[in-house]
Amino acid sequence: MKAAVWNGPYDLSIKDVPVPSPSQGEVLIKTKVVGICGSDLEIYDGRFKQSIPPLILGHEGGGIVHAAGEGVSTVKEGDRVIVECVLYCGKCEYCKKGYFGLCESGGVLGMMGAQGEYAEYFVAPEKNCHILPDEITWPEAGLIDTLAGPVYSIGKMDIPLDSTVAVFGPGPAGLFFCTLAKMRGATKIFLVGTREYRLKYGPQYGADTLINVRKENAVDIIREATDGKGVDIVIEAAGSEKALNEGLHVLKKAGVFMIYGVFGAGPIPVDVQPIQLYEFTVLGSSNINYPPAIKLLKNGLVNVKDLVSHTFTLEELPEAFSSGLIEKRIGNYMKGVVLF
Ligand SMILES: [Zn+2]
Ligand SMILES: [Zn+2]
């Protein structure tokens, strides 16, 4: 079968590799879609040190069950499934507390400890497979993982009715945060970013005020609009030093600060004094929750298809990485999916 194999920094190519076979409790999936993730880029250029080449990348995909290993009972040949990428034992201290992403013997398909999904077929544990309802198309399914992160994170927060929220980072995850915060009862949502074309999606996703920090001062605007108090909740979904620090200066006393953005490039200077002085609660989030995300999509409560800005074939993938199309967000790039 053909697969996009990463052989080290800046080296991704299409190779012929054997079709994997499912072990006990695993299924072999004929790939139909894989979402392209920002962390694929971090692996590609060598920033993500836990990934060891040679590795088939890709971890946001699904397809049709082609064969089932011994003991598989919840899915069968022919089922449409979307696959959760986090591998977990279900037995360790963290798994027992529900923190599957923190599993002591865990991994991630296409990132750590297991081959990924940019291939004609891939293998995944049965317990990671979720049946995909007919209402959800394959391109839409490529965004379930992107939605499942904010769904999990929102579940960690209390968003009281009539609360105010500032979301930093108008990428797909930030936009989903806007929608979910509105559903939970927020009445005023500020969406803060640097790219106009991304901010423009805001109103459709529940954002009330759009702030482009290249032209405007987010701290001034948010403070002024909240009688100088700031917002009840800040969600940092940009992974940016500036956003993180601005977020800390627009949060109301006793507010909640969610760090969702990835700060993989190393330590950054942060003004921590407001956290202590104003009794902020800081939350981190790195996990996903698929079942509610699938249900939201099935019931049409979150629009994902408008965010699919680019589709690729498997063969086109190495060029999409090497050309900088994804990294530099050329052509108003929002989210790319690989279709098979
Ligand atoms: Zn991802
Ligand atoms: Zn575990």
Side-chain angles (χ1 to χ4, degrees):
M1 66 169 188
K2 286 193 168 50
V5 181
W6 175 69
N7 291 298
Y10 301 101
D11 184 357
L12 183 72
S13 58
I14 302 298
K15 293 231 161 96
D16 249 313
V17 299
V19 176
S21 55
S23 307
Q24 181 153 21
E26 291 182 337
V27 291
L28 178 69
I29 293 154
K30 188 175 185 351
T31 317
K32 294 299 287 181
V33 68
V34 187
I36 299 172
C37 179
S39 53
D40 291 336
L41 286 174
E42 292 199 22
I43 300 170
Y44 176 71
D45 65 21
R47 268 176 294 163
F48 191 76
K49 302 286 178 227
Q50 288 97 317
S51 294
I52 319 268
L55 180 68
I56 300 171
L57 304 189
H59 62 267
E60 299 188 350
I64 293 162
V65 175
H66 190 74
E70 225 177 285
V72 170
S73 61
T74 56
V75 291
K76 59 181 191 311
E77 215 184 298
D79 282 347
R80 294 169 89 233
V81 292
I82 188 75
V83 177
E84 208 173 310
C85 59
V86 174
L87 304 170
Y88 58 95
C89 73
K91 295 170 192 158
C92 74
E93 180 188 343
Y94 300 107
C95 283
K96 279 184 182 158
K97 286 181 187 163
Y99 293 107
F100 301 109
L102 307 180
C103 176
E104 281 175 353
S105 53
V108 180
L109 293 174
M111 285 174 93
M112 293 180 282
Q115 297 294 328
E117 306 167 357
Y118 292 142
E120 290 171 286
Y121 295 87
F122 68 96
V123 155
E126 167 191 23
K127 67 179 190 293
N128 287 52
C129 298
H130 301 269
I131 297 288
L132 190 66
D134 291 336
E135 291 88 339
I136 303 175
T137 64
W138 287 116
E140 289 174 317
L143 271 90
I144 289 176
D145 195 83
T146 313
L147 176 59
V151 162
Y152 170 82
S153 309
I154 271 289
K156 293 184 81 165
M157 284 187 280
D158 182 24
I159 302 183
L161 283 173
D162 197 27
S163 44
T164 48
V165 178
V167 177
F168 286 77
L175 294 166
F176 294 148
F177 270 118
C178 292
T179 301
L180 297 170
K182 265 274 159 80
M183 281 181 188
R184 292 285 300 274
T187 44
K188 177 87 175 155
I189 299 179
F190 301 88
L191 179 62
V192 186
T194 56
R195 289 181 171 86
E196 205 60 42
Y197 80 88
R198 293 193 158 208
L199 285 165
K200 276 193 183 135
Y201 286 93
Q204 192 191 335
Y205 284 83
D208 302 289
T209 303
L210 311 176
I211 303 170
N212 185 339
V213 292
R214 285 193 179 147
K215 297 188 244 167
E216 300 163 302
N217 184 312
V219 177
D220 289 349
I221 292 172
I222 294 172
R223 287 235 163 242
E224 210 176 294
T226 53
D227 299 325
K229 288 182 172 171
V231 290
D232 299 294
I233 291 152
V234 168
I235 297 166
E236 205 290 342
S240 135
E241 179 187 326
K242 182 173 154 68
L244 187 80
N245 281 294
E246 286 185 346
L248 286 169
H249 289 97
V250 299
L251 187 57
K252 193 187 283 184
K253 291 174 187 172
V256 174
F257 196 104
M258 163 66 74
I259 300 177
Y260 184 83
V262 179
F263 291 82
I268 55 161
V270 178
D271 181 8
V272 294
Q273 211 210 352
I275 301 173
Q276 180 272 329
L277 202 57
Y278 303 129
E279 301 198 29
F280 293 164
T281 300
V282 179
L283 298 171
S285 181
S286 63
N287 210 343
I288 44 181
N289 189 359
Y290 268 55
I294 293 169
K295 237 180 203 169
L296 288 168
L297 260 188
K298 176 182 159 72
N299 295 333
L301 294 169
V302 181
N303 172 335
V304 299
K305 66 173 188 298
D306 291 353
L307 299 180
V308 181
S309 60
H310 291 70
T311 59
F312 303 98
T313 63
L314 181 65
E315 286 76 11
E316 288 169 339
L317 200 56
E319 165 79 11
F321 276 78
S322 64
S323 66
L325 187 156
I326 303 165
E327 193 191 354
K328 300 197 179 81
R329 293 161 184 169
I330 294 165
N332 288 355
Y333 183 89
M334 277 304 273
K335 178 80 178 182
V337 297
V338 183
L339 293 171
F340 293 76

